Amino acid sequence: MIIAIDGPAGAGKSTIAKKVADSLGYVYIDTGAMYRAFTYELLTSSISLSDIEEITKVLEKTNIEFKNSEIFLNNLNVTNEIRSKNVTANVSAVSAIPQVREKLVNLQRKIASESNSILDGRDIGTVVFPNAELKIFLTASVKIRALRRYNELIAKDKNIDINEIEAEIEKRDKLDSSRETSPLIKAADAIEIDTSNLSIDEVVNTILKLAEEICENESL
Ligand code: CDP
């Protein structure tokens, strides 16, 4: 069984996907973390983001793995590093490169083929698993999404500015939705949940109920 959760930045995908995965005993695959890890690799090796030839070479040698909910890039734990401002500012450009998507999508499919899985991202229900048994599209107003991200980040960095976060989210939404390869769009058969006025538990319970119904119908 595959559960696909797509949606824009800050809609609550990862928090909700983790909780649903824990409740069901599924593996959680944070596909955004994979794009972030590869972006981190390019930035730390000072490779120009327009040098597709060089990027393709690096891609071939890159190894990305999850171990106990932490992400490893070529055996190095980069779980914290991939959340930096610099990675966030560049990840949409890197994830728009078709060669990057091809490699990471193959890896996502391989990991998910080994267990019941819940994946979150931008193209899970449309491209990675178009036949997923359950597809959810999470949304929330941009103001609410910026506030959530602000609350998450303020614990680590007192100098952050909510207007800057809102602008960054809007910019990323635009880039992710308008790119040619696998843009962020709602799959025709995805169930949309606007999380603006819902608690985390309300969203989690809605998804758990939907998953239960599917399991009963399909006797999975
Ligand atoms: O957590 P947040 O919403 O900030 O984003 P993320 O899930 O960590 O994803 C970071 C970026 O990776 C997105 O803005 C997309 O550009 C890209 N991404 C993608 O293209 N396809 C995916 N399946 C997941 C992420």
Side-chain angles (χ1 to χ4, degrees), residues 9 31-32 35-36 92 95 101 121-123 149 172 176 179:
T31 67
Y35 290 97
R36 284 174 177 272
S92 289
S95 66
R101 302 205 70 82
R122 303 292 187 285
D123 60 340
R149 201 37 63 93
R172 210 141 51 91
D176 292 344
R179 69 179 174 222

Side-chain angles (χ1 to χ4, degrees), residues 5 10-23 28 30 83 118 120 138 148-149 152 195 199-201 203-205 207:
I5 303 200
K13 298 184 301 293
S14 61
T15 309
I16 281 151
K18 255 182 240 161
K19 289 200 163 217
V20 172
D22 285 348
S23 288
Y28 164 53
D30 178 350
R83 304 286 157 196
I118 177 159
D120 79 339
L138 287 188
R148 286 179 186 159
R149 201 37 63 93
E152 228 173 73
T195 70
S199 69
I200 292 170
D201 282 344
V203 182
V204 169
N205 289 333
I207 297 176

Side-chain angles (χ1 to χ4, degrees), residues 95-108:
S95 66
I97 302 169
Q99 291 88 336
V100 174
R101 302 205 70 82
E102 194 189 343
K103 164 132 180 179
L104 296 188
V105 166
N106 283 338
L107 186 55
Q108 289 154 19

Side-chain angles (χ1 to χ4, degrees), residues 173-220:
D173 282 356
K174 211 169 167 193
L175 287 171
D176 292 344
S177 313
S178 62
R179 69 179 174 222
E180 235 168 83
T181 314
S182 311
L184 166 67
I185 37 163
K186 177 178 165 287
D189 53 350
I191 297 164
E192 182 163 342
I193 306 176
D194 183 336
T195 70
S196 301
N197 300 307
L198 297 176
S199 69
I200 292 170
D201 282 344
E202 283 172 319
V203 182
V204 169
N205 289 333
T206 305
I207 297 176
L208 288 175
K209 244 188 229 142
L210 291 165
E212 204 176 297
E213 281 167 24
I214 289 167
C215 287
E216 276 167 14
N217 287 342
E218 300 194 0
S219 326
L220 287 172

Side-chain angles (χ1 to χ4, degrees), residues 1 12 29 49 51 54-55 59 63 73 75 77 83-84 94 102 107 111-112 121-122 145 159 164 170 177 211-212:
M1 167 112 167
I29 307 170
L49 301 188
D51 188 347
E54 192 57 30
I55 291 176
L59 201 51
N63 180 39
L73 170 72
N75 293 321
N77 189 339
R83 304 286 157 196
S84 74
V94 173
E102 194 189 343
L107 186 55
I111 304 172
R122 303 292 187 285
R145 292 190 281 123
N159 292 323
E164 209 180 288
E170 275 186 321
S177 313
E212 204 176 297

